[in-house]
């Protein structure tokens, strides 16, 4: 009793620390972490390689046709101790984090056929339970029956400040105002998108981590997950 592997859906604003938390939680529970943002980024890289998205212009017919030539998989890398995304057999974990991909991903993530294909893959991955999946539409569209749904957020200023520190640590020169504008713009795009916009599932537990340390947040989530597991028949 209480041993059934549950699914945990983590949605929320960008730079709210979803992936860091989702990874730690998966490790602690011995669950599989699925980074759905990486899948949308890899689909974008695929479209860039096929030149169906060029300079901010999308050829939707081309993107749709290209989906038949896109094979995504996650493979565990013992060196990084993470599972890393592969596009047609090639590890693209680093390449998908480039600015170029980041700037184009919202154009590809709003193509319905792209979402349809990726959601189907994500649903298959969650079929057996034991998954911590993060994204924007996980609790609302991908696994609406997830036993635990988290909606993670922090105020835009806190998120911009964290993102600024991250960029600075990578040696990138940007101003706080630039980063804040980008955070607000991404919030707007994510929430106003016609297909699968970012929205809080009614039964999600809202975690605003503006005033929480990583450790406080982690302990809170682990306890929550363990309680949900106990509640399972
Ligand atoms: O979480 P991230 O920044 O790596 O996500 C990259 C992009 O993909 C971002 O623009 C939002 C989009 N995305 C989405 O539309 N649906 C998801 N489930 C995950 C990400």
């Amino acid at each position: 009793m209480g041993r059934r592997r549950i699914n945990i859906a983590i949605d929320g604003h960008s730079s709210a620390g979803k992936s860091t938390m989702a990874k730690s939680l998966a490790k602690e529970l011995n669950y599989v972490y699925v980074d759905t943002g990486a899948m949308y980024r890899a689909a974008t890289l695929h479209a860039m390689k096929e030149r169906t998205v060029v300079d901010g212009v999308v050829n939707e017919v081309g993107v749709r046709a290209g989906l038949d030539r896109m094979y995504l998989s996650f493979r565990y890398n013992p060196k990084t101790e993470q599972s890393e995304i592969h596009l047609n057999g090639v590890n693209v974990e680093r390449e998908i984090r480039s600015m170029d991909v980041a700037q184009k991903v919202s154009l590809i993530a709003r193509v319905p056929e792209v979402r349809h294909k990726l959601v189907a893959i994500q649903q298959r991955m969650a079929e057996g339970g034991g998954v911590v999946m993060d994204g924007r539409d996980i609790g609302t569209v991908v696994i609406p029956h997830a036993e635990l749904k988290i909606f993670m957020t922090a105020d835009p200023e806190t998120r911009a400040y964290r993102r600024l520190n991250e960029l600075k640590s990578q040696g990138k020169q940007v101003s706080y105002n630039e980063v804040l504008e980008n955070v607000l713009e991404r919030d707007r795009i994510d929430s106003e998108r016609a297909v699968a916009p970012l929205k809080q599932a009614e039964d999600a537990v809202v975690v605003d981590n503006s005033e929480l340390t990583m450790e406080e947040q982690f302990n809170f989530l682990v306890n929550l997950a363990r309680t949900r597991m106990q509640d399972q028949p």
Side-chain angles (χ1 to χ4, degrees), residues 7-11 137-141 143-152 199-207 224 228:
N7 279 324
I8 303 177
I10 304 187
D11 292 301
D137 58 343
I138 311 305
T140 50
V141 176
I143 28 176
H145 302 299
E147 289 83 352
L148 177 57
K149 299 180 192 176
I150 314 279
F151 190 86
M152 199 175 277
K199 85 174 187 276
Q200 195 184 309
E202 269 176 28
D203 50 351
V205 178
V206 180
V207 178
L224 195 59
R228 285 293 157 93

Side-chain angles (χ1 to χ4, degrees), residues 36-37 40-41 105 109 115 135-138 186 190 193:
T36 64
Y40 287 95
R41 286 169 183 266
V105 60
R115 299 205 74 85
R136 307 293 191 285
D137 58 343
I138 311 305
R186 287 205 286 165
D190 280 348
R193 180 174 59 215

Side-chain angles (χ1 to χ4, degrees), residues 13-76:
H13 291 112
S14 63
S15 300
K18 294 187 298 290
S19 63
T20 311
M21 237 353 101
K23 271 182 212 159
S24 314
L25 197 57
K27 195 165 182 192
E28 175 71 19
L29 303 173
N30 224 346
Y31 276 21
V32 173
Y33 165 58
V34 181
D35 177 355
T36 64
M39 298 170 76
Y40 287 95
R41 286 169 183 266
T44 304
L45 184 63
H46 177 65
M48 287 163 67
K49 287 186 192 294
E50 295 212 333
R51 301 197 59 75
T52 51
V53 58
V54 181
D55 296 336
V57 181
V58 184
N59 163 3
E60 280 208 26
V61 176
V63 170
R64 282 200 289 274
L67 288 174
D68 288 339
R69 292 181 291 275
M70 179 182 82
Y71 175 70
L72 299 181
S73 57
F74 285 97
R75 298 184 199 167
Y76 185 75

Side-chain angles (χ1 to χ4, degrees), residues 153-172:
T153 189
D155 56 61
E157 292 75 17
T158 307
R159 288 185 282 133
Y161 186 69
R162 289 180 190 155
R163 181 95 185 104
L164 180 70
N165 283 338
E166 193 181 311
L167 291 168
K168 276 191 175 160
S169 72
Q170 295 164 2
K172 299 195 175 118

Side-chain angles (χ1 to χ4, degrees), residues 218-228:
F218 176 72
N219 290 336
F220 173 75
L221 291 179
V222 170
N223 285 333
L224 195 59
R226 292 205 194 283
T227 310
R228 285 293 157 93

